[in-house]
Amino acid sequence: MKHANAIARGVRPKEGAIANTDTPQPPARPARRDLTQGPIAKTLLLFALPTLGSNVLQSLNGSINSIWVGRFLGEGALAATTNANLVMFLMFALGFGFGMAATILVGQSMGARDVIGARRAMGTALGLFAIISVVIALLGWLFAPHLLRILSTPADSQALALAYLRVIFLAMPPMFIGVLLTMGMRGTGDSVTPLQLMILSVILDAGLNPLLIRGIGPFPRMGIAGSATATLIANYVVLVVGVAYIYLKDLPIRLRGSELRFLLPNPALLKVILVKGLPMGLQMLVFSFSGLVMIGLVNRAGVDVTAAYGIAQQLWTYVQMPALAIGAAVSAMVAQNIGAGRWERVGRITRAGVITNVVMTGALIVIILLFDRPIFALFVGGNSPAIPIARHIQLIGSWSFLLFGATLVLFSTVRANGAVYAPLIILILSVLVGRLGFAAALLPHYGTDVLWWSFPLGSAISLGLATAYYRFGDWRHPGMISQVIEEEVAEHSQADGEPGGRLNPGG
């Protein structure tokens, strides 16, 4: 109890102190890659590159599947998948936040060499995700028609969208759990296995799409439902392979024997995951909402401008990927180092993340600006009037991703210690108030260029506020593990009992 109280107050026990716990601790095993040791820049880059590869493959998979649907079934079917995928994105936004919270707990536990703590956090998250995903799958199947009507899905696409969306909802359990497992692997320092699983997913999903859509060979002809079924099969297969790999390699997040009880959500862990995960999920919803408002403003400028904005966004999807990968790497590294008590490395990791982002994202922006005309021509043809507009948008807006990447690194650092409300508030101020307010107020007076300049303006506001919070904010308080222990100590002190089987970050 004394040891737990020390941790709850933010006081780390002396080197070599033994944790007092009712759960037997196995010998401490290192993560797949110990992110608390070695050269920071090299470790960051080696961790980020596989994550970048996973992100690229995921986007390519979506593009390839859209091509199959569009070529085989036409524009109506493509519009149907677009509407259905919007529903899925909204579902995953909150799930992503909860997964990030669990990943941070896993990372801090691994940094503290507390394997049992990492398994408890993973078990609680798995139990939560299993319940949520099954409920969403059942409710989604029942209420899919109502969701499509709320989205004002075109009448001629509703039947196709319904057939597609209902199958996709059945794929929710393996999707949610699979995403959580890969995020957990990254929390332990392993970013290579998620890449390998993503490669398998893309091969299965993209490969089965045409076979099930057209009924080629022994496969049934399923139309648009075949595209969704390919996704469903790919996700279930990848989940089975991923779980098998975790147990064959005896990865730190595996559960065996008495540890299977960790799948019953622990109240203290569950509270931290929900309280910390909800704001991170809401951050994705802020971006989603701002995107919907922005496209509404762009649509007022006519078809050519809307088409130009659409193809510019296709390239922006790839421009932001280095920042997302570097942010994930920074989050995992900072979480492990905070868990290990190595605060002297946290600032260096953040600086390395910012510099790496500037180099990688800056190089990608330059390459795209040099070759954007032939790339745009792939989407709309070389003589389209949308191309010069798209190039103009690209020239103004692309540089905002340098600022976005730096902001993301700062957010990843503070969130790795459980500071999640300040980033949400900063995004609301910079994106909803700054970017959209600027665009909506000045658009009638200065024309469409205001829309494109709103991107660097919003990014500059968010970077300024994020930098101020990183330097002067109170995010350096005891980490999320300590908050879990505080909850458990408070609960058990009221019951005059010793908390059993708790996390022990200092062990």
Side-chain angles (χ1 to χ4, degrees):
M1 185 73 172
K2 179 180 177 182
H3 177 78
N5 285 328
I7 294 294
R9 292 193 306 269
V11 180
R12 193 165 293 281
K14 294 180 179 180
E15 188 73 26
I18 302 300
N20 177 25
T21 176
D22 296 332
T23 303
Q25 292 274 355
R29 295 181 39 172
R32 295 293 300 277
R33 175 178 290 129
D34 189 346
L35 304 180
T36 67
Q37 306 290 334
I40 287 174
K42 180 181 178 181
T43 302
L44 179 71
L45 190 60
L46 290 176
F47 190 92
L49 287 177
T51 304
L52 176 60
S54 297
N55 293 341
V56 171
L57 284 173
Q58 190 170 29
S59 293
L60 286 175
N61 185 48
S63 300
I64 293 170
N65 290 347
S66 295
I67 291 171
W68 289 130
V69 171
R71 290 290 182 90
F72 289 154
L73 301 174
E75 290 81 358
L78 194 57
T81 61
T82 300
N83 279 270
N85 287 334
L86 177 59
V87 175
M88 299 310 300
F89 175 82
L90 296 176
M91 298 295 175
F92 267 103
L94 292 179
F96 172 83
F98 298 144
M100 276 297 300
T103 301
I104 292 168
L105 285 171
V106 170
Q108 289 192 3
S109 297
M110 293 305 300
R113 298 299 188 272
D114 179 16
V115 179
I116 288 294
R119 290 172 183 165
R120 288 189 65 205
M122 201 66 194
T124 290
L126 284 170
L128 174 65
F129 270 50
I131 295 170
I132 290 176
S133 61
V134 171
V135 170
I136 289 177
L138 293 175
L139 294 179
W141 175 274
L142 293 174
F143 294 103
H146 306 283
L147 289 171
L148 293 174
R149 282 196 290 271
I150 291 172
L151 289 174
S152 300
T153 304
D156 55 352
S157 295
Q158 279 203 13
L160 292 170
L162 180 60
Y164 181 87
L165 185 58
R166 276 185 159 163
V167 177
I168 287 292
F169 268 119
L170 296 180
M172 284 296 295
M175 282 184 183
F176 264 72
I177 296 172
V179 167
L180 178 62
L181 289 177
T182 57
M183 293 174 75
M185 290 177 190
R186 292 190 180 108
T188 66
D190 177 10
S191 62
V192 175
T193 302
L195 173 60
Q196 295 169 338
L197 293 175
M198 180 57 67
I199 292 172
L200 175 61
S201 177
V202 171
I203 292 173
L204 290 173
D205 197 354
L208 287 173
N209 250 268
L211 301 179
L212 291 171
I213 291 173
R214 298 293 294 271
I216 298 173
F219 297 94
R221 186 184 183 93
M222 301 178 66
I224 194 170
S227 178
T229 302
T231 300
L232 181 148
I233 293 172
N235 278 276
Y236 274 102
V237 170
V238 169
L239 177 61
V240 171
V241 171
V243 171
Y245 182 86
I246 288 171
Y247 281 88
L248 286 173
K249 296 295 183 180
D250 198 32
L251 299 189
I253 58 175
R254 65 103 178 106
L255 302 176
R256 280 202 178 102
S258 62
E259 294 169 346
L260 292 173
R261 73 182 186 276
F262 295 159
L263 292 171
L264 297 174
N266 173 276
L269 281 167
L270 186 61
K271 181 177 179 180
V272 170
I273 289 174
L274 292 176
V275 170
K276 300 298 184 182
L278 184 60
M280 287 190 274
L282 290 176
Q283 289 172 38
M284 293 188 68
L285 293 181
V286 167
F287 282 118
S288 178
F289 176 76
S290 68
L292 292 174
V293 174
M294 184 61 70
I295 193 63
L297 296 175
V298 172
N299 284 339
R300 300 177 186 179
V303 174
D304 288 340
V305 175
T306 301
Y309 179 66
I311 58 177
Q313 281 196 311
Q314 290 286 335
L315 295 190
W316 286 353
T317 299
Y318 293 93
V319 171
Q320 67 184 341
M321 283 185 180
L324 295 173
I326 294 166
V330 167
S331 181
M333 289 184 68
V334 170
Q336 283 201 18
N337 281 273
I338 289 175
R342 303 205 61 182
W343 279 93
E344 77 281 359
R345 286 171 58 91
V346 170
R348 291 162 57 198
I349 293 168
T350 306
R351 286 192 295 273
V354 171
I355 294 171
T356 305
N357 168 73
V358 169
V359 173
M360 292 179 67
T361 304
L364 187 57
I365 290 172
V366 170
I367 292 171
I368 286 178
L369 289 177
L370 290 175
F371 300 101
D372 58 355
R373 176 178 285 278
I375 297 174
F376 288 145
L378 294 174
F379 294 93
V380 293
N383 298 320
S384 172
I387 288 184
I389 303 173
R391 297 190 73 193
H392 181 66
I393 295 171
Q394 193 81 0
L395 184 63
I396 295 174
S398 294
W399 298 102
S400 65
F401 288 97
L402 279 177
L403 308 180
F404 164 79
T407 302
L408 191 59
V409 169
L410 297 177
F411 281 173
S412 297
T413 297
V414 301
R415 284 190 308 215
N417 200 38
V420 294
Y421 291 100
L424 176 60
I425 294 170
I426 289 171
L427 282 181
I428 291 173
L429 292 175
S430 61
V431 175
L432 300 186
V433 179
R435 179 190 297 173
L436 295 182
F438 172 82
L442 298 184
L443 178 61
H445 307 287
Y446 297 99
T448 55
D449 266 8
V450 167
L451 300 177
W452 325 137
W453 281 108
S454 72
F455 285 94
L457 174 67
S459 296
I461 293 173
S462 63
L463 178 58
L465 293 175
T467 301
Y469 181 70
Y470 173 77
R471 293 195 62 185
F472 306 111
D474 62 349
W475 62 274
R476 296 173 179 83
H477 53 72
M480 287 171 64
I481 293 178
S482 297
Q483 296 175 43
V484 174
I485 293 177
E486 279 186 339
E487 293 288 338
E488 291 194 328
V489 168
E491 290 174 6
H492 287 81
S493 64
Q494 292 174 1
D496 294 323
E498 173 74 11
R502 59 185 175 269
L503 289 169
N504 295 281

